[in-house]
Amino acid sequence: MSTDDTLSIGELAERAGVTVKTVRFYSDRGLLPETARSSGGHRRYGPEAIDRLRLIRSLRTLDLPVPDVGRVLDQEDALEGIIAGQLQELGSQVAALRWREAALQLLQECGPEERADRLRLVGAVSVPPSTAAPVRFWRRWLLPARLPARLVSAIIEQAVPQPPAEPTPAQVLAFARLHAFVSRPCPGTDRGQPAAHQPDKGYRPAVLYDGLREAFTLASPALRDQRPPHEGEALDCFVSAYAGSCGTHDTPAFRRRLRGELRADPRIDHYWQLVAELSGPSEPTPGAAHDWLRIALDAETARPAA
């Protein structure tokens, strides 16, 4: 070591337990500033460079990119944000690996006659899977109703399932089938829209959907307990949502009329079946709640008047 307090590149490398090539690499990228140059033009570093180099190595051991390491060295409060970003990125990578594993198991477990079809379905889904296609489906389906953005967001949040964090092969298949279903032309473009979306029917869809969300919540306990459709608060709320949305009263005549309209509405049962496969029986889907309430209405209106 020289008579002053500075270190040569070789001395710094030895003190920090790295190679001279490593010191030169970080120095060239501005992470390890030189204190001075010797008379022969060689780099010299101050004693503080040892701790700085050890910190750089620790950050790089965590696979932080060199630019992020520079931000941590220059800004005391940068580390927390960088850690959060790295954790989010790692979470996405882990989710992708779990999805790939389940997808490969799905292909491994099926017979040769099914493999090509399943490979086509699974191959159409991004990894990790995205809910963009189901969200677009619902925005198209709800578009004629001209709902407020707040309500559209709430409906989509309830209707679009999130991919499981640790999917089974069966859930991978269900999500892939769901993705294929919603990627086709929207049923609203070729099979008509529900009566509530049609201006000539006199409904106010925003009022209706707010009421339906409450009715579905009321019906959920009965669905979880696997109780058959029946009269009660949930059905009354369901009918009131329709009645209130078209400015009329809940009467026996209205209930009979509503039964006919609901029977004629287009259905997306396959969508809700696939959602149920993804979310499991513990969380009733809006589609299952709607069917339960519709059947309860059918049973009630089919009975002779007292």
Side-chain angles (χ1 to χ4, degrees):
M1 185 171 175
S2 64
T3 54
D4 60 23
D5 291 335
T6 62
L7 304 169
S8 69
I9 192 170
E11 291 168 335
L12 176 58
E14 182 179 359
R15 293 280 191 91
V18 299
T19 64
V20 169
K21 183 178 179 181
T22 297
V23 177
R24 187 175 290 112
F25 175 85
Y26 292 130
S27 186
D28 289 344
R29 279 154 182 78
L31 300 182
L32 202 59
E34 306 164 17
T35 300
R37 289 266 177 163
S38 68
S39 57
H42 299 295
R43 309 178 199 222
R44 308 294 301 182
Y45 300 90
E48 71 280 356
I50 299 173
D51 288 338
R52 187 177 178 91
L53 183 52
R54 286 171 178 164
L55 176 58
I56 291 171
R57 288 189 62 201
S58 298
L59 294 171
R60 290 290 290 154
T61 300
L62 297 174
D63 281 339
L64 261 64
V66 170
D68 285 347
V69 172
R71 286 175 54 204
V72 173
L73 294 172
D74 296 337
Q75 305 171 29
E76 291 184 1
D77 59 348
L79 183 57
E80 185 174 349
I82 289 172
I83 289 174
Q86 288 291 306
L87 285 173
Q88 184 175 6
E89 182 178 341
L90 284 174
S92 180
Q93 292 173 5
V94 169
L97 287 172
R98 286 172 174 162
W99 187 266
R100 286 176 54 197
E101 180 183 31
L104 289 170
Q105 290 173 347
L106 173 68
L107 297 173
Q108 183 182 52
E109 293 169 0
C110 70
E113 68 284 354
E114 296 179 294
R115 192 161 291 144
D117 181 57
R118 291 189 176 184
L119 182 58
R120 176 184 58 80
L121 286 169
V122 172
V125 179
S126 62
V127 179
S130 166
T131 59
V135 168
R136 284 195 300 270
F137 170 86
W138 279 102
R139 290 195 180 279
R140 290 196 304 266
W141 180 254
L142 295 169
L143 182 62
R146 298 182 180 180
L147 300 174
R150 166 198 64 80
L151 189 52
V152 170
S153 297
I155 293 170
I156 288 174
E157 183 178 357
Q158 190 176 34
V160 174
Q162 293 300 312
E166 298 185 21
T168 64
Q171 287 174 318
V172 167
L173 182 58
F175 191 89
R177 285 174 171 163
L178 181 72
H179 182 275
F181 178 77
V182 299
S183 298
R184 299 167 185 164
C186 182
T189 64
D190 56 16
R191 289 196 296 161
Q193 285 285 338
H197 292 191
Q198 300 171 25
D200 61 332
K201 296 293 184 179
Y203 284 101
R204 290 177 293 167
V207 175
L208 171 63
Y209 278 102
D210 261 333
L212 288 181
R213 292 175 63 220
E214 181 181 356
F216 295 164
T217 299
L218 292 171
S220 290
L223 282 159
R224 291 191 190 97
D225 295 341
Q226 299 183 347
R227 284 180 274 162
H230 56 266
E231 301 173 31
E233 184 182 10
L235 178 58
D236 291 343
C237 182
F238 179 70
V239 175
S240 293
Y242 278 96
S245 70
C246 58
T248 189
H249 297 290
D250 177 5
T251 65
F254 177 78
R255 292 195 176 209
R256 289 192 295 272
R257 182 189 118 195
L258 178 60
R259 177 183 65 178
E261 286 187 356
L262 294 180
R263 284 180 172 179
D265 272 349
R267 301 175 62 80
I268 50 174
D269 292 340
H270 186 56
Y271 177 92
W272 295 117
Q273 289 165 2
L274 293 170
V275 171
E277 290 179 29
L278 280 165
S279 57
S282 62
E283 193 55 44
T285 68
H290 191 278
D291 281 350
W292 189 95
L293 292 162
R294 183 181 56 80
I295 293 170
L297 178 64
D298 283 351
E300 181 197 67
T301 53
R303 291 199 304 270

